[in-house]
mmCIF file of all heavy atoms in Angstrom:
data_model
loop_
_atom_site.group_PDB
_atom_site.id
_atom_site.type_symbol
_atom_site.label_atom_id
_atom_site.label_comp_id
_atom_site.label_asym_id
_atom_site.label_seq_id
_atom_site.Cartn_x
_atom_site.Cartn_y
_atom_site.Cartn_z
ATOM 1 N N ALA A 683 40.468 -35.626 17.394
ATOM 2 C CA ALA A 683 40.927 -35.996 18.735
ATOM 3 C C ALA A 683 40.129 -35.353 19.865
ATOM 4 O O ALA A 683 40.498 -35.471 21.029
ATOM 5 C CB ALA A 683 42.400 -35.621 18.885
ATOM 6 N N ALA A 684 39.028 -34.683 19.548
ATOM 7 C CA ALA A 684 38.259 -33.952 20.563
ATOM 8 C C ALA A 684 37.324 -34.900 21.313
ATOM 9 O O ALA A 684 36.125 -35.005 21.008
ATOM 10 C CB ALA A 684 37.467 -32.823 19.912
ATOM 11 N N ILE A 685 37.860 -35.577 22.325
ATOM 12 C CA ILE A 685 37.103 -36.560 23.101
ATOM 13 C C ILE A 685 35.892 -35.879 23.742
ATOM 14 O O ILE A 685 36.045 -34.893 24.475
ATOM 15 C CB ILE A 685 37.983 -37.179 24.198
ATOM 16 C CG1 ILE A 685 39.232 -37.822 23.583
ATOM 17 C CG2 ILE A 685 37.199 -38.207 25.007
ATOM 18 C CD1 ILE A 685 40.247 -38.280 24.616
ATOM 19 N N PRO A 686 34.676 -36.364 23.493
ATOM 20 C CA PRO A 686 33.476 -35.709 24.046
ATOM 21 C C PRO A 686 33.538 -35.562 25.560
ATOM 22 O O PRO A 686 34.064 -36.421 26.266
ATOM 23 C CB PRO A 686 32.343 -36.667 23.630
ATOM 24 C CG PRO A 686 32.869 -37.359 22.421
ATOM 25 C CD PRO A 686 34.342 -37.528 22.652
ATOM 26 N N ILE A 687 33.021 -34.465 26.053
ATOM 27 C CA ILE A 687 32.965 -34.080 27.467
ATOM 28 C C ILE A 687 34.349 -33.649 27.978
ATOM 29 O O ILE A 687 34.498 -32.599 28.583
ATOM 30 C CB ILE A 687 32.414 -35.202 28.371
ATOM 31 C CG1 ILE A 687 30.990 -35.585 27.939
ATOM 32 C CG2 ILE A 687 32.413 -34.753 29.843
ATOM 33 C CD1 ILE A 687 30.414 -36.742 28.728
ATOM 34 N N ILE A 688 35.371 -34.454 27.706
ATOM 35 C CA ILE A 688 36.710 -34.143 28.225
ATOM 36 C C ILE A 688 37.343 -32.990 27.466
ATOM 37 O O ILE A 688 37.894 -32.062 28.066
ATOM 38 C CB ILE A 688 37.605 -35.393 28.171
ATOM 39 C CG1 ILE A 688 37.008 -36.500 29.029
ATOM 40 C CG2 ILE A 688 39.018 -35.064 28.650
ATOM 41 C CD1 ILE A 688 37.754 -37.808 28.945
ATOM 42 N N PHE A 689 37.295 -33.022 26.126
ATOM 43 C CA PHE A 689 37.880 -31.976 25.289
ATOM 44 C C PHE A 689 36.771 -31.201 24.580
ATOM 45 O O PHE A 689 35.719 -31.766 24.261
ATOM 46 C CB PHE A 689 38.818 -32.562 24.235
ATOM 47 C CG PHE A 689 40.052 -33.222 24.797
ATOM 48 C CD1 PHE A 689 40.785 -34.110 24.033
ATOM 49 C CD2 PHE A 689 40.490 -32.960 26.086
ATOM 50 C CE1 PHE A 689 41.922 -34.725 24.532
ATOM 51 C CE2 PHE A 689 41.622 -33.565 26.607
ATOM 52 C CZ PHE A 689 42.343 -34.450 25.820
ATOM 53 N N PRO A 690 36.991 -29.919 24.289
ATOM 54 C CA PRO A 690 35.968 -29.132 23.602
ATOM 55 C C PRO A 690 35.833 -29.523 22.138
ATOM 56 O O PRO A 690 36.792 -29.973 21.500
ATOM 57 C CB PRO A 690 36.485 -27.692 23.742
ATOM 58 C CG PRO A 690 37.966 -27.838 23.862
ATOM 59 C CD PRO A 690 38.187 -29.102 24.626
ATOM 60 N N ALA A 691 34.624 -29.369 21.597
ATOM 61 C CA ALA A 691 34.395 -29.582 20.176
ATOM 62 C C ALA A 691 35.222 -28.581 19.373
ATOM 63 O O ALA A 691 35.583 -27.514 19.869
ATOM 64 C CB ALA A 691 32.913 -29.429 19.852
ATOM 65 N N VAL A 692 35.521 -28.933 18.121
ATOM 66 C CA VAL A 692 36.347 -28.086 17.260
ATOM 67 C C VAL A 692 35.520 -27.654 16.056
ATOM 68 O O VAL A 692 34.850 -28.487 15.417
ATOM 69 C CB VAL A 692 37.604 -28.839 16.794
ATOM 70 C CG1 VAL A 692 38.393 -28.008 15.782
ATOM 71 C CG2 VAL A 692 38.483 -29.196 17.993
ATOM 72 N N GLU A 693 35.579 -26.376 15.731
ATOM 73 C CA GLU A 693 34.857 -25.872 14.566
ATOM 74 C C GLU A 693 35.738 -25.987 13.328
ATOM 75 O O GLU A 693 36.823 -25.421 13.265
ATOM 76 C CB GLU A 693 34.437 -24.419 14.770
ATOM 77 C CG GLU A 693 33.586 -23.891 13.621
ATOM 78 C CD GLU A 693 33.117 -22.466 13.825
ATOM 79 O OE1 GLU A 693 33.726 -21.753 14.655
ATOM 80 O OE2 GLU A 693 32.143 -22.064 13.164
ATOM 81 N N VAL A 694 35.253 -26.730 12.342
ATOM 82 C CA VAL A 694 35.939 -26.874 11.063
ATOM 83 C C VAL A 694 35.292 -25.914 10.070
ATOM 84 O O VAL A 694 34.064 -25.913 9.923
ATOM 85 C CB VAL A 694 35.855 -28.321 10.546
ATOM 86 C CG1 VAL A 694 36.452 -28.443 9.148
ATOM 87 C CG2 VAL A 694 36.556 -29.279 11.512
ATOM 88 N N THR A 695 36.086 -25.098 9.409
ATOM 89 C CA THR A 695 35.546 -24.121 8.456
ATOM 90 C C THR A 695 35.934 -24.410 7.010
ATOM 91 O O THR A 695 35.369 -23.817 6.093
ATOM 92 C CB THR A 695 36.019 -22.704 8.825
ATOM 93 O OG1 THR A 695 37.454 -22.673 8.836
ATOM 94 C CG2 THR A 695 35.501 -22.296 10.195
ATOM 95 N N GLU A 696 36.897 -25.308 6.798
ATOM 96 C CA GLU A 696 37.330 -25.665 5.447
ATOM 97 C C GLU A 696 37.327 -27.171 5.281
ATOM 98 O O GLU A 696 37.853 -27.877 6.158
ATOM 99 C CB GLU A 696 38.754 -25.118 5.183
ATOM 100 C CG GLU A 696 38.845 -23.605 5.164
ATOM 101 C CD GLU A 696 38.120 -22.985 3.983
ATOM 102 O OE1 GLU A 696 37.913 -23.703 2.969
ATOM 103 O OE2 GLU A 696 37.765 -21.810 4.072
ATOM 104 N N PRO A 697 36.736 -27.644 4.182
ATOM 105 C CA PRO A 697 36.036 -26.890 3.153
ATOM 106 C C PRO A 697 34.720 -26.303 3.667
ATOM 107 O O PRO A 697 34.070 -26.899 4.531
ATOM 108 C CB PRO A 697 35.792 -27.917 2.050
ATOM 109 C CG PRO A 697 35.810 -29.230 2.750
ATOM 110 C CD PRO A 697 36.778 -29.100 3.877
ATOM 111 N N ALA A 698 34.346 -25.173 3.107
ATOM 112 C CA ALA A 698 33.210 -24.403 3.621
ATOM 113 C C ALA A 698 31.902 -25.195 3.585
ATOM 114 O O ALA A 698 31.043 -25.031 4.458
ATOM 115 C CB ALA A 698 33.070 -23.108 2.822
ATOM 116 N N THR A 699 31.738 -26.052 2.562
ATOM 117 C CA THR A 699 30.485 -26.797 2.441
ATOM 118 C C THR A 699 30.321 -27.830 3.560
ATOM 119 O O THR A 699 29.224 -28.362 3.757
ATOM 120 C CB THR A 699 30.419 -27.528 1.082
ATOM 121 O OG1 THR A 699 31.616 -28.292 0.902
ATOM 122 C CG2 THR A 699 30.283 -26.527 -0.053
ATOM 123 N N TRP A 700 31.405 -28.115 4.297
ATOM 124 C CA TRP A 700 31.343 -29.070 5.400
ATOM 125 C C TRP A 700 31.675 -28.398 6.732
ATOM 126 O O TRP A 700 32.068 -29.063 7.695
ATOM 127 C CB TRP A 700 32.285 -30.249 5.156
ATOM 128 C CG TRP A 700 31.770 -31.150 4.077
ATOM 129 C CD1 TRP A 700 31.973 -31.014 2.733
ATOM 130 C CD2 TRP A 700 30.927 -32.285 4.250
ATOM 131 N NE1 TRP A 700 31.324 -31.996 2.048
ATOM 132 C CE2 TRP A 700 30.670 -32.799 2.948
ATOM 133 C CE3 TRP A 700 30.369 -32.916 5.357
ATOM 134 C CZ2 TRP A 700 29.870 -33.931 2.742
ATOM 135 C CZ3 TRP A 700 29.570 -34.048 5.159
ATOM 136 C CH2 TRP A 700 29.331 -34.534 3.862
ATOM 137 N N SER A 701 31.503 -27.086 6.780
ATOM 138 C CA SER A 701 31.807 -26.363 8.008
ATOM 139 C C SER A 701 30.823 -26.773 9.109
ATOM 140 O O SER A 701 29.660 -27.101 8.849
ATOM 141 C CB SER A 701 31.733 -24.857 7.774
ATOM 142 O OG SER A 701 30.429 -24.471 7.396
ATOM 143 N N GLY A 702 31.311 -26.762 10.331
ATOM 144 C CA GLY A 702 30.480 -27.141 11.463
ATOM 145 C C GLY A 702 31.330 -27.569 12.631
ATOM 146 O O GLY A 702 32.555 -27.446 12.630
ATOM 147 N N TRP A 703 30.675 -28.100 13.658
ATOM 148 C CA TRP A 703 31.358 -28.528 14.876
ATOM 149 C C TRP A 703 31.565 -30.037 14.850
ATOM 150 O O TRP A 703 30.653 -30.796 14.529
ATOM 151 C CB TRP A 703 30.558 -28.130 16.108
ATOM 152 C CG TRP A 703 30.522 -26.646 16.304
ATOM 153 C CD1 TRP A 703 29.569 -25.784 15.875
ATOM 154 C CD2 TRP A 703 31.513 -25.860 16.968
ATOM 155 N NE1 TRP A 703 29.899 -24.488 16.228
ATOM 156 C CE2 TRP A 703 31.097 -24.506 16.900
ATOM 157 C CE3 TRP A 703 32.715 -26.149 17.611
ATOM 158 C CZ2 TRP A 703 31.815 -23.462 17.453
ATOM 159 C CZ3 TRP A 703 33.451 -25.107 18.170
ATOM 160 C CH2 TRP A 703 33.001 -23.788 18.090
ATOM 161 N N TYR A 704 32.787 -30.418 15.209
ATOM 162 C CA TYR A 704 33.162 -31.828 15.142
ATOM 163 C C TYR A 704 33.813 -32.287 16.445
ATOM 164 O O TYR A 704 34.395 -31.487 17.188
ATOM 165 C CB TYR A 704 34.137 -32.068 13.981
ATOM 166 C CG TYR A 704 33.506 -31.897 12.623
ATOM 167 C CD1 TYR A 704 33.376 -30.635 12.040
ATOM 168 C CD2 TYR A 704 33.026 -32.996 11.918
ATOM 169 C CE1 TYR A 704 32.796 -30.467 10.795
ATOM 170 C CE2 TYR A 704 32.436 -32.847 10.669
ATOM 171 C CZ TYR A 704 32.331 -31.587 10.115
ATOM 172 O OH TYR A 704 31.740 -31.431 8.877
ATOM 173 N N GLY A 705 33.696 -33.600 16.678
ATOM 174 C CA GLY A 705 34.318 -34.207 17.845
ATOM 175 C C GLY A 705 35.056 -35.476 17.469
ATOM 176 O O GLY A 705 35.202 -35.821 16.286
ATOM 177 N N ASP A 706 35.487 -36.188 18.463
ATOM 178 C CA ASP A 706 36.329 -37.372 18.322
ATOM 179 C C ASP A 706 35.741 -38.383 17.334
ATOM 180 O O ASP A 706 34.601 -38.821 17.480
ATOM 181 C CB ASP A 706 36.474 -38.028 19.692
ATOM 182 C CG ASP A 706 37.578 -39.074 19.751
ATOM 183 O OD1 ASP A 706 37.974 -39.576 18.686
ATOM 184 O OD2 ASP A 706 38.045 -39.375 20.861
ATOM 185 N N GLY A 707 36.547 -38.762 16.340
ATOM 186 C CA GLY A 707 36.101 -39.759 15.378
ATOM 187 C C GLY A 707 35.872 -41.104 16.004
ATOM 188 O O GLY A 707 35.123 -41.944 15.469
ATOM 189 N N GLY A 708 36.498 -41.357 17.158
ATOM 190 C CA GLY A 708 36.345 -42.634 17.826
ATOM 191 C C GLY A 708 34.972 -42.851 18.422
ATOM 192 O O GLY A 708 34.638 -43.978 18.815
ATOM 193 N N ALA A 709 34.158 -41.804 18.488
ATOM 194 C CA ALA A 709 32.807 -41.960 19.026
ATOM 195 C C ALA A 709 31.993 -42.940 18.184
ATOM 196 O O ALA A 709 31.112 -43.628 18.683
ATOM 197 C CB ALA A 709 32.104 -40.603 19.084
ATOM 198 N N ARG A 710 32.308 -43.010 16.880
ATOM 199 C CA ARG A 710 31.592 -43.925 15.996
ATOM 200 C C ARG A 710 32.517 -44.868 15.231
ATOM 201 O O ARG A 710 32.116 -45.955 14.840
ATOM 202 C CB ARG A 710 30.760 -43.148 14.963
ATOM 203 C CG ARG A 710 29.593 -42.367 15.531
ATOM 204 C CD ARG A 710 28.601 -41.998 14.436
ATOM 205 N NE ARG A 710 27.901 -43.183 13.940
ATOM 206 C CZ ARG A 710 28.215 -43.811 12.812
ATOM 207 N NH1 ARG A 710 29.219 -43.390 12.069
ATOM 208 N NH2 ARG A 710 27.536 -44.866 12.435
ATOM 209 N N LEU A 711 33.751 -44.444 14.985
ATOM 210 C CA LEU A 711 34.639 -45.209 14.103
ATOM 211 C C LEU A 711 36.062 -45.123 14.656
ATOM 212 O O LEU A 711 36.901 -44.412 14.117
ATOM 213 C CB LEU A 711 34.565 -44.631 12.685
ATOM 214 C CG LEU A 711 35.096 -45.499 11.550
ATOM 215 C CD1 LEU A 711 34.323 -46.802 11.448
ATOM 216 C CD2 LEU A 711 35.023 -44.739 10.236
ATOM 217 N N ASN A 712 36.307 -45.868 15.722
ATOM 218 C CA ASN A 712 37.600 -45.758 16.387
ATOM 219 C C ASN A 712 38.733 -46.370 15.573
ATOM 220 O O ASN A 712 39.864 -45.908 15.636
ATOM 221 C CB ASN A 712 37.546 -46.440 17.766
ATOM 222 C CG ASN A 712 38.745 -46.083 18.606
ATOM 223 O OD1 ASN A 712 39.035 -44.909 18.815
ATOM 224 N ND2 ASN A 712 39.464 -47.088 19.090
ATOM 225 N N VAL A 713 38.431 -47.416 14.815
ATOM 226 C CA VAL A 713 39.444 -48.037 13.950
ATOM 227 C C VAL A 713 38.923 -47.969 12.513
ATOM 228 O O VAL A 713 38.090 -48.773 12.105
ATOM 229 C CB VAL A 713 39.708 -49.497 14.358
ATOM 230 C CG1 VAL A 713 40.837 -50.081 13.511
ATOM 231 C CG2 VAL A 713 40.068 -49.589 15.840
ATOM 232 N N PRO A 714 39.385 -46.986 11.732
ATOM 233 C CA PRO A 714 38.795 -46.722 10.406
ATOM 234 C C PRO A 714 39.245 -47.701 9.325
ATOM 235 O O PRO A 714 39.876 -47.331 8.333
ATOM 236 C CB PRO A 714 39.261 -45.298 10.100
ATOM 237 C CG PRO A 714 40.554 -45.166 10.843
ATOM 238 C CD PRO A 714 40.388 -45.977 12.107
ATOM 239 N N LEU A 715 38.894 -48.968 9.505
ATOM 240 C CA LEU A 715 39.263 -49.990 8.537
ATOM 241 C C LEU A 715 38.466 -49.831 7.239
ATOM 242 O O LEU A 715 39.026 -49.924 6.144
ATOM 243 C CB LEU A 715 39.039 -51.370 9.161
ATOM 244 C CG LEU A 715 39.618 -52.584 8.445
ATOM 245 C CD1 LEU A 715 39.928 -53.688 9.456
ATOM 246 C CD2 LEU A 715 38.660 -53.131 7.393
ATOM 247 N N GLN A 716 37.162 -49.591 7.364
ATOM 248 C CA GLN A 716 36.331 -49.440 6.171
ATOM 249 C C GLN A 716 36.773 -48.260 5.296
ATOM 250 O O GLN A 716 36.877 -48.412 4.070
ATOM 251 C CB GLN A 716 34.860 -49.272 6.576
ATOM 252 C CG GLN A 716 33.886 -49.248 5.407
ATOM 253 C CD GLN A 716 33.836 -50.569 4.656
ATOM 254 O OE1 GLN A 716 33.978 -51.630 5.267
ATOM 255 N NE2 GLN A 716 33.655 -50.506 3.353
ATOM 256 N N PRO A 717 37.054 -47.073 5.868
ATOM 257 C CA PRO A 717 37.561 -45.984 5.018
ATOM 258 C C PRO A 717 38.843 -46.345 4.278
ATOM 259 O O PRO A 717 39.034 -45.934 3.119
ATOM 260 C CB PRO A 717 37.797 -44.850 6.017
ATOM 261 C CG PRO A 717 36.794 -45.103 7.087
ATOM 262 C CD PRO A 717 36.748 -46.604 7.226
ATOM 263 N N ALA A 718 39.728 -47.109 4.904
ATOM 264 C CA ALA A 718 40.960 -47.509 4.225
ATOM 265 C C ALA A 718 40.648 -48.329 2.983
ATOM 266 O O ALA A 718 41.248 -48.140 1.916
ATOM 267 C CB ALA A 718 41.847 -48.292 5.182
ATOM 268 N N LEU A 719 39.689 -49.239 3.111
ATOM 269 C CA LEU A 719 39.299 -50.052 1.962
ATOM 270 C C LEU A 719 38.687 -49.190 0.861
ATOM 271 O O LEU A 719 38.982 -49.366 -0.325
ATOM 272 C CB LEU A 719 38.305 -51.135 2.400
ATOM 273 C CG LEU A 719 38.853 -52.224 3.332
ATOM 274 C CD1 LEU A 719 37.717 -53.120 3.826
ATOM 275 C CD2 LEU A 719 39.908 -53.058 2.630
ATOM 276 N N GLU A 720 37.842 -48.241 1.261
ATOM 277 C CA GLU A 720 37.159 -47.416 0.270
ATOM 278 C C GLU A 720 38.092 -46.393 -0.366
ATOM 279 O O GLU A 720 37.797 -45.868 -1.445
ATOM 280 C CB GLU A 720 35.935 -46.756 0.913
ATOM 281 C CG GLU A 720 34.886 -47.796 1.307
ATOM 282 C CD GLU A 720 33.626 -47.205 1.912
ATOM 283 O OE1 GLU A 720 33.557 -45.975 2.097
ATOM 284 O OE2 GLU A 720 32.709 -47.984 2.228
ATOM 285 N N LEU A 721 39.216 -46.113 0.285
ATOM 286 C CA LEU A 721 40.231 -45.232 -0.316
ATOM 287 C C LEU A 721 41.199 -46.005 -1.209
ATOM 288 O O LEU A 721 42.129 -45.421 -1.756
ATOM 289 C CB LEU A 721 41.001 -44.491 0.781
ATOM 290 C CG LEU A 721 40.240 -43.354 1.470
ATOM 291 C CD1 LEU A 721 40.989 -42.867 2.700
ATOM 292 C CD2 LEU A 721 40.002 -42.183 0.502
ATOM 293 N N GLY A 722 40.983 -47.314 -1.337
ATOM 294 C CA GLY A 722 41.746 -48.087 -2.308
ATOM 295 C C GLY A 722 42.695 -49.124 -1.754
ATOM 296 O O GLY A 722 43.504 -49.689 -2.505
ATOM 297 N N ALA A 723 42.622 -49.416 -0.464
ATOM 298 C CA ALA A 723 43.549 -50.386 0.125
ATOM 299 C C ALA A 723 43.301 -51.788 -0.418
ATOM 300 O O ALA A 723 42.159 -52.224 -0.557
ATOM 301 C CB ALA A 723 43.416 -50.396 1.642
ATOM 302 N N GLU A 724 44.404 -52.487 -0.702
ATOM 303 C CA GLU A 724 44.340 -53.891 -1.114
ATOM 304 C C GLU A 724 45.016 -54.804 -0.094
ATOM 305 O O GLU A 724 44.866 -56.014 -0.143
ATOM 306 C CB GLU A 724 44.999 -54.045 -2.481
ATOM 307 C CG GLU A 724 44.254 -53.288 -3.576
ATOM 308 C CD GLU A 724 45.039 -53.182 -4.861
ATOM 309 O OE1 GLU A 724 46.037 -52.433 -4.903
ATOM 310 O OE2 GLU A 724 44.659 -53.870 -5.830
#
């Protein structure tokens, strides 16, 4: 939910192999339809 410019980036530390700074998922994938399909949606 960290909207770029408006809200600060958030540091994710777990899982450690994916630690780093993250921002709003809507910047690239506002409606995650494809992930739902790949997670098994029918």
Side-chain angles (χ1 to χ4, degrees):
I685 303 172
I687 300 176
I688 299 175
F689 294 162
V692 174
E693 185 178 19
V694 174
T695 58
E696 295 292 338
T699 52
W700 288 86
S701 62
W703 292 94
Y704 291 83
D706 193 340
R710 292 197 70 259
L711 197 61
N712 193 54
V713 184
L715 192 152
Q716 186 65 34
L719 293 173
E720 294 182 357
L721 286 169
E724 296 168 289

